[in-house]
Amino acid sequence: MIRFALVFLLIATKVLAAGHGGPFVPCEFGVSINGTQCQGVLTPASLSPWTVPTKFTAVNKIEVVGPGGNGVGGNTSNTGNGAGAGGSYGHADNVTLTPGASVSFVCPAGGSGTAASFNGSAYLSSPAGNSGSGTTGGAAGGSATGSALSGGNIGGAGGDGGDLNPGPLVGGGGGGAGGPHGPGRSGSGGSNILTTGGGGGGGADGGGGGTATTDGDNGNGGNGGHASNGNGNGAGGGGGASLDPGLPGGPGAGGGGSGDVHANPFNGGDGGSGLLWLQAKLGPGGGGGGGGLADGPPYIHVSNGGAGGQCGGGGGGGGSLVTAGANSLGGTGGGCCIAITYTPAP
């Protein structure tokens, strides 16, 4: 019976290893990666405190991305359209935590304006990206702080709404979240020409910035910024042509701005969620694309800003309306993420 149990355990181990694409280690928290480490990600849905695994060692990395800011919706009064900024990133390497201990953390949702922290704000804290305010895009949050901090990068600023000289505004693009490979890139401001689309969202983690619309674009939205090579190398979402939606960004890339809206309710493209932590399909996120200008009667549509990518992408600003109707919505910022990677004891 004992021999049968050992054989069964050996077979089960091989099956699990095959399912993970190779060798694995048992993990009390997260999943096995690269055959030697465990990795898991805490999100706004996770409950504090976090329990330190019994086999947690000093070979580890704690990474914190602050939440992104929300974009501002558009209306006929032209008092909105600023985009949200991306959240900042900070990491702590090889920290000492007691196995079995409870560690508090704060992992806010997008648009909260509250910094994300691990083991208290004095230990490791990453600021949130600021939400847009009126026609102005949100400013980038500050740098990560804390006694355990090993390094970090700030998020990108949100783009301003574009003023159509004078007239309705189009939405700015959201800023990308910071990451280990570089700062988040700023979203583009909305264009200052008539019949135009929204600005593109910024790429995350050292990627490219969103592009603006320019004279002669004939209502096209701006392209989203690409992600960095270290975060999936996702292509930025294409800006919508006139009467087309903005396309969502690839992993960690910014969403494209919506084209000028006419007979269809097109929105800015969502920022791409990052893939830095591949097993969880999460990482620093790109900014959402801005909403385009919504035409008047007989078409009363809105053009909402795209959502910021999870984790920490800023939301795009909504497009304005030529005539009275339902107000557009600004994109929601991506929530916080706290990634914990460690080598378990034998």
Side-chain angles (χ1 to χ4, degrees), residues 60-65 89-95 123-126 144-146 148-153 179-180 339:
N60 59 69
K61 186 172 188 175
I62 314 295
E63 301 173 272
V64 179
V65 179
Y89 166 88
H91 66 96
D93 300 339
N94 301 326
V95 301
Y123 190 81
L124 181 61
S125 178
S126 292
T145 59
L149 181 70
S150 298
N153 286 295

Side-chain angles (χ1 to χ4, degrees), residues 260-290:
D260 176 40
V261 177
H262 187 55
N264 295 288
F266 295 131
N267 300 321
D270 293 340
S273 295
L275 290 178
L276 178 63
W277 309 303
L278 186 60
Q279 294 290 347
K281 297 182 180 179
L282 291 171

Side-chain angles (χ1 to χ4, degrees), residues 141-275:
S143 299
T145 59
S147 60
L149 181 70
S150 298
N153 286 295
I154 64 172
D160 296 338
D163 185 356
L164 303 184
N165 291 323
L169 304 177
V170 293
H181 305 96
R185 297 295 176 164
S186 296
S188 169
S191 176
N192 292 332
I193 62 171
L194 191 61
T195 324
T196 190
D205 196 15
T211 65
T213 50
T214 59
D215 288 317
D217 273 357
N218 192 30
N220 297 346
N223 294 324
H226 64 81
S228 74
N229 287 333
N231 196 35
N233 198 25
S242 183
L243 314 185
D244 281 338
L247 298 179
S258 169
D260 176 40
V261 177
H262 187 55
N264 295 288
F266 295 131
N267 300 321
D270 293 340
S273 295
L275 290 178

Side-chain angles (χ1 to χ4, degrees), residues 9-329:
L9 180 61
L10 178 62
I11 293 174
T13 299
K14 290 183 178 180
V15 169
L16 287 172
H20 283 76
F24 81 106
V25 291
C27 298
E28 297 173 60
F29 172 75
V31 297
S32 175
I33 61 171
N34 64 40
T36 60
Q37 292 183 302
C38 298
Q39 184 179 85
V41 182
L42 304 172
T43 69
S46 304
L47 298 178
S48 180
W50 174 71
T51 301
V52 182
T54 57
K55 293 187 176 183
F56 190 83
T57 68
V59 182
N60 59 69
K61 186 172 188 175
I62 314 295
E63 301 173 272
V64 179
V65 179
N70 289 346
V72 181
N75 51 55
T76 55
S77 300
N78 304 324
T79 56
N81 310 91
S88 297
Y89 166 88
H91 66 96
D93 300 339
N94 301 326
V95 301
T96 299
L97 298 173
T98 303
S102 295
V103 176
S104 65
F105 65 90
V106 176
C107 192
S112 64
T114 302
S117 62
F118 181 82
N119 202 19
S121 59
Y123 190 81
L124 181 61
S125 178
S126 292
N130 292 295
S131 294
S133 177
T135 61
T136 304
S143 299
T145 59
S147 60
L149 181 70
S150 298
N153 286 295
I154 64 172
D160 296 338
D163 185 356
L164 303 184
N165 291 323
L169 304 177
V170 293
H181 305 96
R185 297 295 176 164
S186 296
S188 169
S191 176
N192 292 332
I193 62 171
L194 191 61
T195 324
T196 190
D205 196 15
T211 65
T213 50
T214 59
D215 288 317
D217 273 357
N218 192 30
N220 297 346
N223 294 324
H226 64 81
S228 74
N229 287 333
N231 196 35
N233 198 25
S242 183
L243 314 185
D244 281 338
L247 298 179
S258 169
D260 176 40
V261 177
H262 187 55
N264 295 288
F266 295 131
N267 300 321
D270 293 340
S273 295
L275 290 178
L276 178 63
W277 309 303
L278 186 60
Q279 294 290 347
K281 297 182 180 179
L282 291 171
L293 176 66
D295 291 338
Y299 306 111
I300 305 299
H301 293 299
V302 296
S303 182
N304 300 322
Q310 187 80 1
C311 312
S320 289
L321 289 79
V322 173
T323 57
N327 294 340
S328 67
L329 302 176

